[in-house]
């Protein structure tokens, strides 16, 4: 049968965004009844995954590409929730390579209007630093991570257009935002979801220490981390649909 063409409110389509192909490819291969629509250069793959209607996209790296994909999922595909799955650098002593960071809040560590008196990280207009993640989503992710036997931590995930790879920057982000992991997209997807009132969570498996030999760790562990995040996402779907 053909995939259902959902109109807002008539069915439950879950949007899944990964920044890089390696963060989405294995899920895409498991889609049934798949169709692809290309918008603004990004392929959106609709179909069913683990019995749930989804739309999957590889957004591209960084906040702008991620926001484009999230807003397209809202306006064109009428998603009811968005999950961002991928990899991250650790900012937490409790999270090591292969462990799972789960957002209960998101910050944009490179947003800074502090020289005109604002708190660092304040997003002007909506006037908040911490963008919320959806509690029922992050609780469900934690349950799935637990049941799959993965060490995990729930906390603030810090986003910026920057691959964090030195001790000074890592420590500043950790201390300023009390964050547990750093990456480059989730905070912008969270902002799109916030203004559209769409529940959101990011699942980020640690690929590196965000300092020291970051490129060596990253190259070695990015696939393991991306695969683990996709396994959690897949198992999560029937629990949240
Ligand atoms: N994604 C994976 N590791 C990262 C890091 N150290 N900084 C930013 N994004 C990342």
């Amino acid at each position: 049968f053909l995939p259902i063409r959902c109109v807002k409110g008539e069915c439950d389509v879950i949007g899944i965004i990964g920044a890089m192909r390696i963060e989405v490819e294995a899920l895409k291969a498991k889609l049934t009844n798949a169709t692809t629509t290309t918008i603004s250069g990004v392929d959106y793959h609709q179909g069913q995954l683990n019995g749930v209607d989804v739309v999957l996209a590889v957004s591209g790296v960084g906040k702008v590409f991620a926001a484009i994909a999230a807003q397209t999922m809202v306006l064109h595909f009428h998603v009811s929730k968005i999950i961002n799955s991928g990899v991250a650098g650790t900012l937490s002593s409790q999270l090591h390579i292969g462990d799972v960071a789960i957002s209960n809040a998101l910050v944009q560590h490179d947003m800074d209007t502090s020289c005109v008196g604002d708190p660092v990280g304040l997003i002007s207009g909506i006037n908040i630093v911490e963008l919320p993640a959806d509690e029922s989503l992050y609780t469900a992710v934690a349950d799935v991570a637990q049941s799959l036997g993965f060490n995990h931590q729930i906390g603030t995930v810090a986003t910026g257009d920057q691959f964090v790879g030195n001790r000074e920057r890592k420590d500043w982000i950790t201390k300023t935002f009390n964050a547990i992991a750093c990456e480059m997209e989730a905070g912008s997807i969270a902002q799109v979801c916030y203004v559209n009132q769409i529940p959101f969570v990011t699942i980020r498996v640690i690929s590196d220490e965000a300092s020291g030999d970051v490129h060596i760790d990253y190259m070695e562990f990015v696939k393991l981390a991306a695969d683990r995040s996709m396994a959690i996402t897949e198992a999560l779907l029937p629990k949240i649909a």
Side-chain angles (χ1 to χ4, degrees), residues 24-215:
V24 175
E25 203 76 337
L27 293 179
K28 189 187 137 196
K30 292 183 178 176
L31 271 188
T32 53
N33 304 304
T35 58
T36 301
T37 310
T38 306
I39 301 171
S40 309
V42 173
D43 291 339
Y44 294 85
H45 307 284
Q46 287 172 280
Q48 285 86 44
L49 186 61
N50 221 349
V52 175
D53 286 308
V54 299
V55 55
L56 285 178
V58 178
S59 63
V61 173
K63 294 194 301 176
V64 175
F65 275 138
I68 290 170
Q71 187 65 27
T72 301
M73 285 192 171
V74 173
L75 291 181
H76 191 88
F77 297 98
H78 307 297
V79 293
S80 58
K81 304 173 182 70
I82 294 182
I83 299 163
N84 172 226
S85 173
V87 304
T90 183
L91 302 178
S92 165
S93 58
Q94 291 178 49
L95 291 176
H96 303 286
I97 288 169
D99 293 343
V100 189
I102 304 166
S103 64
N104 61 10
L106 292 299
V107 295
Q108 295 176 13
H109 65 75
D110 56 354
M111 188 64 151
D112 187 357
T113 51
S114 61
C115 66
V116 293
D118 292 332
V120 175
L122 186 85
I123 300 170
S124 301
I126 53 177
N127 293 331
I128 52 174
V129 175
E130 291 195 354
L131 294 149
D134 181 77
E135 187 174 355
S136 61
L137 286 182
Y138 68 72
T139 307
V141 175
D143 288 347
V144 170
Q146 177 85 27
S147 69
L148 294 176
F150 301 142
N151 181 44
H152 65 276
Q153 186 178 9
I154 298 174
T156 299
V157 172
T159 303
D161 284 324
Q162 189 176 71
F163 197 98
V164 179
N166 71 73
R167 171 59 63 181
E168 201 184 358
R169 183 69 186 168
K170 173 178 175 170
D171 289 349
W172 182 83
I173 296 168
T174 308
K175 187 163 54 74
T176 306
F177 300 105
N178 191 26
I180 63 168
C182 58
E183 48 68 63
M184 301 177 70
E185 294 82 23
S188 72
I189 303 171
Q191 185 174 345
V192 170
C193 288
Y194 182 84
V195 299
N196 288 287
Q197 299 184 306
I198 301 281
F200 169 75
V201 72
T202 190
I203 304 163
R204 292 283 180 161
V205 177
I206 301 301
S207 57
D208 57 82
E209 297 286 337
S211 65
D213 292 329
V214 70
H215 60 292

